[in-house]
Amino acid sequence: MQLNPGHFNRFLNGLGQHTQWRAAIDCPCRNPHSGGADQACQICRGAGQAWSDPVAGIVALSGQKQQREWAAFGLWESGDLVVTIPSDSPIYALGEFDRVTFTDSSEPFSLTQVRGKSGPMAFPVLRLDRCVVRVTDAEGVMSLVDVDLPTLDASNQPVWAAGQGPDTLQTYSLSGRKYPEYYAYGNFPQDRAHHQGLDLPRKVILRRFDLFGRTR
């Protein structure tokens, strides 16, 4: 049987989704004896992994049959994806704990932060829609008040111009839309060894990045 990687790639690239891939590396903050991460590390924020700059690539979502097969192993978590990666995509080099962001779709988010205390946002943001704070009037009645939206700096930290936004150390709620983000779940110890080592598509499991560190 003769398999043609080029035919596979053209098919997958035609129906695939655009993504951003960030390769993982163990953060140097890890203790060389226990493997534990420094919870105060400003690079990995206690995750124990650091990630490279994003690289664009394409992956194709596998069908429900593959999803059911993965669930049959008993390792399935809600939100898991089975994806197929064409061999001409940079993401073909995907490894364990690498991050994959899907840039063709988005989903809503809402979270609370404390100005001047909370760190950068932990996910890629498409847009910010509202920023609200809680205020109490002279009669003790509480209400929500919209304040100026922040911008995000290079580290994904919300920032406001002087005199705008919440007060320092005030809790605020930020909502908008973010890109769905996943990480590669499982080991990838070697390249394919069958069919004379042809660069055939790879099928891998992606897990929601929200679960990183909780289901490893």
Side-chain angles (χ1 to χ4, degrees):
M1 180 174 62
Q2 181 65 40
L3 298 178
N4 190 318
H7 290 171
F8 281 118
N9 291 340
R10 284 191 292 273
F11 174 74
L12 294 171
N13 284 315
L15 56 82
Q17 294 199 26
H18 294 91
T19 63
Q20 295 284 329
W21 163 55
R22 299 175 63 190
I25 187 172
D26 283 353
C27 184
C29 77
R30 281 181 177 271
N31 184 299
H33 303 292
S34 68
D38 180 0
Q39 297 303 303
C41 179
Q42 297 181 6
I43 296 174
C44 73
R45 286 180 279 172
Q49 299 290 147
W51 290 272
S52 64
D53 292 334
V55 176
I58 286 179
V59 303
L61 301 183
S62 296
Q64 288 300 313
K65 178 180 178 181
Q66 284 76 24
Q67 298 277 27
R68 289 195 299 270
E69 289 174 351
W70 168 240
F73 282 102
L75 300 173
W76 182 83
E77 292 282 346
S78 178
D80 283 359
L81 291 180
V82 181
V83 299
T84 303
I85 307 174
S87 63
D88 59 354
S89 173
I91 305 178
Y92 194 69
L94 187 83
E96 189 175 26
F97 305 142
D98 289 2
R99 294 167 74 163
V100 179
T101 303
F102 286 76
T103 56
D104 287 337
S105 59
S106 65
E107 59 191 15
F109 76 87
S110 180
L111 81 164
T112 56
Q113 302 249 93
V114 179
R115 185 172 184 180
K117 186 175 181 180
S118 298
M121 300 183 72
F123 46 80
V125 176
L126 172 61
R127 70 171 187 263
L128 300 175
D129 294 331
R130 292 189 71 189
C131 182
V132 300
V133 296
R134 188 178 64 169
V135 298
T136 304
D137 64 18
E139 298 178 353
V141 178
M142 291 184 179
S143 62
L144 296 179
V145 175
D146 284 85
V147 297
D148 297 300
L149 285 173
T151 58
L152 299 176
D153 65 14
S155 69
N156 221 27
Q157 176 73 47
V159 293
W160 286 266
Q164 295 185 352
D167 296 330
T168 300
L169 298 183
Q170 184 177 20
T171 300
Y172 60 92
S173 178
L174 199 58
S175 62
R177 296 194 70 85
K178 64 178 181 177
Y179 294 110
E181 189 171 38
Y182 298 79
Y183 73 95
Y185 180 78
N187 290 302
F188 306 94
Q190 64 183 25
D191 294 331
R192 290 177 180 269
H194 55 277
H195 293 293
Q196 293 79 50
L198 291 177
D199 291 332
L200 300 175
R202 299 178 66 194
K203 189 168 290 181
V204 300
I205 307 300
L206 299 181
R207 178 156 291 177
R208 293 294 301 223
F209 193 74
D210 297 348
L211 298 175
F212 185 81
R214 284 182 275 172
T215 58
R216 287 166 56 181

